[in-house]
Amino acid sequence: MSEYSLNGVLVKSDFQSEELITAFDIVIKGGTYHSHTVCKHKKTWEEKSKVMDNYNRQILTLLSEGVKTKNLPDLLHLSKSAIDKRKAIIKQIFGIDKGTDEDILREARKQGLI
């Protein structure tokens, strides 16, 4: 599997022709360029990624596959209590005060995490 790196990312609504030329020049010279919106979303994603560790991602994936919370401890080798705490953290990350697994999944889909 090869690894790719993005040297330039622009959101169409972020730039005019001058910015496109600037971005192109930077990338051609070996630099990287990200438009304003990309930088904003990248920062938000990085902040969420710090909290969304491997177990939290696995919880989201398994829930999206229809696995019930009561079955998660057998699959993740975590206690039910640990899983409940992680789900509470996930809800906090997503800004969900009270909600079900469906609310978590809806927000995860909206944010492109699943």
Side-chain angles (χ1 to χ4, degrees):
M1 186 164 118
S2 62
E3 191 171 313
Y4 295 96
S5 101
L6 295 174
N7 294 334
V9 181
L10 296 147
V11 174
K12 184 178 174 182
S13 62
D14 270 0
F15 66 91
Q16 302 295 322
S17 60
E18 278 300 314
E19 185 173 4
L20 179 60
I21 292 168
T22 301
F24 185 77
D25 286 341
I26 290 170
V27 170
I28 289 296
K29 293 176 183 173
T32 59
Y33 188 89
H34 298 118
S35 69
H36 173 73
T37 299
V38 172
C39 289
K40 178 180 154 191
H41 287 291
K42 183 178 173 185
K43 182 179 177 187
T44 301
W45 175 254
E46 287 170 353
E47 290 169 359
K48 288 182 181 179
S49 292
K50 289 177 188 174
V51 182
M52 292 299 290
D53 66 7
N54 190 42
Y55 277 119
N56 290 351
R57 286 187 195 97
Q58 286 180 12
I59 289 170
L60 287 175
T61 300
L62 291 169
L63 290 175
S64 74
E65 293 171 354
V67 176
K68 302 289 182 200
T69 299
K70 67 180 181 179
N71 297 324
L72 291 177
D74 296 331
L75 299 169
L76 297 175
H77 308 292
L78 292 173
S79 69
K80 170 97 167 57
S81 173
I83 290 169
D84 288 339
K85 287 177 186 173
R86 287 178 171 277
K87 284 175 53 179
I89 291 169
I90 292 169
K91 286 180 186 179
Q92 186 177 26
I93 293 167
F94 290 162
I96 300 171
D97 291 327
K98 295 180 180 178
T100 65
D101 290 350
E102 284 304 315
D103 296 318
I104 292 172
L105 293 174
R106 187 177 310 109
E107 190 60 33
R109 285 185 189 101
K110 192 186 308 182
Q111 295 191 24
L113 296 173
I114 55 171

